[in-house]
Each structure stands twice: as C-alpha cells, then as structure tokens.
Amino acid sequence: MRPRIRSFSSPSCPRPAGSGRMALLLLAALLLAGCGGRKNQDDSLRIGVALYTQDDTFISTVAQNLEWLAQEAEGRTGQKINLFISDGRSSQSTQMDQVDRFLARQCDVLCVNLVDRTAAAVIIDKAEAEGVPLIFFNRQPVAEDIQRWSQIYYVGASAQESGALQGRLVLDAWRQNQEELDRNGDGVLQYAMLEGEPGHQDALLRTEYSVKTLTDAGVEVEKLANDTANWNRAQASARTAQWLEELDGQIEVVFCNNDDMALGAIDALEKQGLDRSLWPLIVGVDATAPALEAVASGQLYGTVLNDGRGQAQAMVDMALALWSGEDPAQAVDLEDGHYVWLPYRMVTRENLDELREN
C-alpha cells in the first residue's frame, strides 16, 4: 500500500549536509529503485509514520492529530514538513516494506507503531544503518531493543496504569452502589474480560491490573469468561453475544482492554434487546470519540483517557528537535534518555463535560 502524503507549504530552513559522495550515490540508487527517482532537495522535514492498522479507532485518531499538529508546527516554526502515513493492515511484513520505502524517500525521522513488538530489532537495524532517528509509539518494544541505539525513543503511556485506573472505575462504582451492581447479592463481583491480542503487553497488563486493583481493595471477584477480541469491535460483539447466551444475566461487569471492544460489547447488548437496567457495567480504555458518546448516553460506564493528541505532539516536537540537531530532551520530558510517558485519566459522565472543554 502506498503511503499517504501530507505536505504543508511554508518557508523552509536549510537541511543539514549529507555524509559524503558515496552516501549520496547510495541514496540516489535507493530512490531510483523505490521511489521513481524522486530525491529530497526541498529542504523539508520528512516524517515517515508507520501504523499497525488504521482500523483501530485510537490509532486513527493519533494519525489525525499528527496531521493537524504538523500543520500547526509548520505555521509556527516556518519549517516545511512532509508527513508520510502508511497503514500496515496488521501485517509485519507489510510494515517492513513501508519502512524501507520511508528510508528510500530519505525520511529524516521514522515514527513506528509496531505490528509485532518482537520485530523492533530489525527496524532498528534498518534505521541505524541510514542514521535515521526512530520513535516507536503506543506499542512498546522491549527495553533491550530501546537500548540498542542512542537515537531510539518511545512515546506512550503505562499499560499498568491504564489497567489500574480501569479497576478504579469499577471499584468506585462498587463502593458507591454495591447493592445495584451485585445483582445476585452474593457479595462477589462476577466479571467477563475482553482482551486485546494474545501476548500483547498492553492487553496482559490491563487485564492483570484492572482486576488486581479490586482484589487489593478487598473486593472478592469471580471470572465468568474471558477471550481475546484483538482490539476489534466486531469480534468483541461476537464474543459478548456468546457469553450473554451462555451465562444468562450472570455477568455484572465487562472489562474491555480498549474502547472499540467496549463498543462491541454494547452492540451485542443492544442487538439482544436487553433492558438497560439489566446491562452489566462496561468499562473501556482510550476515550475515543465514539466511546465518549457512549459514556454520555450511559451505555458505557467509563473509560480511561489515552492521550493520543499528547503522543502526537510529543512526536512532532521530537522530530523537529532531532532534525535540527537539538537535544530532544529540551523539547519533551524525556525519561532515561529514551522514554516519553503520557499520563492516563479516568473518564465518567461526572467529568465528561470538563474533558470535552479541554
């Protein structure tokens, strides 16, 4: 799939000099082979953005924010920015090809949302060989890969924190209205869990810490069902429909590792035609626009804000700093020389208006 290109025109700054005649010849050969002979001579900052899939609502939101913020940064700094965005369609081999094309286009910085976090080392080797700084985002490579090169960075949020806050949403509901939430009156919270991809770090940590927050607070819980739905709304709807049939009203809470799956659970409940008073309490993660509408309507009890705009802003700021040869730590709050962590925030109907105003 060819990358989408966003080019924002304004006065530009000079581009740093190349690394010698041999390097220029090599780059020219790459461009002839992969990009129809196009060569970057327009003094623009080129940012290649590789997404694992744009079908993911949150990732699509991050991409939109990157486009808006790159345009805003160009107007603010006078630096021309070309933004290349590609959709990996959940295929690591496809994403690898897209990374190769970004490098052939002489991208100055790569921003990669990994399909498979175990593939990070290969992408790192490609970027390091070309001297192109690499910013991973939202899907965190293992620490050993991040440490492979000084020009590798990660922008994201703590999956453990999101799980803990999701658990806190349910804990607060239990403490405020246990009689209503504990439908069978047994003093035990019966729950089902919709998980992301098998083995995915965020799915594992959100699953673990959402429940751990309750048990650490002394709430007795019982897992009635769990299954992976791969962050996907349709898959989550199918899983939930099956549980509703098999468990016949026993589920009191549905934990969902992301909002798309939470919306899938809601779809299944609506399709069944179950009275709203008989719905289990549902919680998600991300605070996507459709999820916030569901919170406003009362279908979704709550979600946890994953700051997509903040992640996009950090990447744009870092790309500008890296391109100009500045220390990225002067542009963003960088921890351990490699990490930018964005905080999560709980969202319910009580603070929804405040969130929208901000």
Side-chain angles (χ1 to χ4, degrees):
M1 178 177 178
R2 292 178 63 82
R4 291 190 296 116
I5 303 172
R6 294 292 183 267
S7 178
F8 309 112
S9 299
S10 63
S12 59
C13 301
R15 180 180 176 131
S19 57
R21 180 177 176 81
M22 187 61 68
L24 289 174
L25 288 172
L26 176 59
L27 285 170
L30 285 169
L31 287 167
L32 286 169
C35 296
R38 181 175 180 177
K39 185 177 179 181
N40 183 20
Q41 294 179 330
D42 58 1
D43 294 330
S44 64
L45 164 58
R46 292 186 165 203
I47 305 174
V49 183
L51 309 178
Y52 97 93
T53 178
Q54 284 190 290
D55 288 340
D56 185 304
T57 304
F58 175 73
I59 294 303
S60 179
T61 300
V62 173
Q64 291 169 8
N65 276 296
L66 279 169
E67 293 177 355
W68 298 332
L69 292 169
Q71 187 172 20
E72 186 275 333
E74 186 176 72
R76 184 182 72 250
T77 65
Q79 171 58 53
K80 183 178 178 182
I81 299 174
N82 286 335
L83 194 65
F84 301 78
I85 300 177
S86 63
D87 184 350
R89 297 188 180 277
S90 299
S91 166
Q92 189 58 62
S93 62
T94 297
Q95 187 172 77
M96 288 294 187
D97 290 342
Q98 292 165 348
V99 168
D100 288 339
R101 287 200 291 273
F102 288 156
L103 293 172
R105 285 180 181 273
Q106 295 182 281
C107 284
D108 303 286
V109 179
L110 298 185
C111 299
V112 178
N113 170 227
L114 286 163
V115 174
D116 179 357
R117 69 195 295 255
T118 65
V122 178
I123 295 176
I124 290 167
D125 289 344
K126 290 174 182 287
E128 185 177 9
E130 299 295 332
V132 177
L134 183 57
I135 303 171
F136 292 105
F137 67 99
N138 195 63
R139 292 187 162 209
Q140 183 183 351
V142 297
E144 291 79 3
D145 285 338
I146 292 288
Q147 299 296 329
R148 287 168 65 96
W149 184 35
S150 62
Q151 296 273 55
I152 303 170
Y153 306 93
Y154 177 72
V155 175
S158 165
Q160 176 177 327
E161 181 187 4
S162 64
L165 289 178
Q166 191 182 62
R168 176 68 182 275
L169 285 169
V170 177
L171 178 62
D172 288 349
W174 179 261
R175 286 173 170 171
Q176 292 166 13
N177 202 351
Q178 180 176 341
E179 183 176 343
E180 181 177 336
L181 189 53
D182 185 17
R183 295 204 178 105
N184 61 8
D186 65 354
V188 178
L189 187 64
Q190 277 82 23
Y191 74 92
M193 180 74 69
L194 284 166
E195 303 174 19
E197 297 169 46
H200 190 287
Q201 182 187 30
D202 286 7
L204 294 171
L205 290 173
R206 288 174 183 174
T207 297
E208 176 184 357
Y209 281 89
S210 58
V211 176
K212 186 175 186 296
T213 299
L214 291 165
T215 56
D216 285 352
V219 178
E220 187 177 352
V221 300
E222 179 186 2
K223 180 172 66 177
L224 298 181
N226 72 293
D227 205 346
T228 58
N230 296 297
W231 314 111
N232 183 272
R233 182 169 181 166
Q235 291 184 35
S237 179
R239 305 288 187 275
T240 305
Q242 181 180 354
W243 294 341
L244 292 173
E245 182 178 344
E246 294 174 351
L247 297 170
D248 191 26
Q250 297 177 55
I251 301 173
E252 295 169 343
V253 173
V254 181
F255 288 98
C256 309
N257 284 172
N258 78 338
D259 283 342
D260 278 357
M261 293 190 295
L263 293 170
I266 290 169
D267 291 341
L269 287 160
E270 288 191 313
K271 186 174 182 180
Q272 191 185 60
L274 194 66
D275 186 85
R276 185 76 64 80
S277 65
L278 300 176
W279 283 26
L281 183 144
I282 304 170
V283 289
V285 175
D286 281 337
T288 62
L292 295 181
E293 291 302 318
V295 171
S297 71
Q299 295 173 308
L300 182 64
Y301 175 75
T303 184
V304 180
L305 173 66
N306 194 358
D307 190 356
R309 182 180 177 87
Q311 291 186 30
Q313 185 69 69
M315 285 187 279
V316 170
D317 292 345
M318 290 180 72
L320 284 165
L322 290 162
W323 186 87
S324 60
E326 298 174 0
D327 182 358
Q330 301 301 311
V332 295
D333 185 9
L334 203 60
E335 294 188 21
D336 300 323
H338 294 277
Y339 296 92
V340 178
W341 297 110
L342 281 298
Y344 283 105
R345 180 182 177 187
M346 294 190 299
V347 181
T348 64
R349 293 179 78 174
E350 281 67 32
N351 66 346
L352 188 58
D353 289 340
E354 176 188 343
L355 180 69
R356 286 171 166 173
E357 289 173 1
N358 294 332

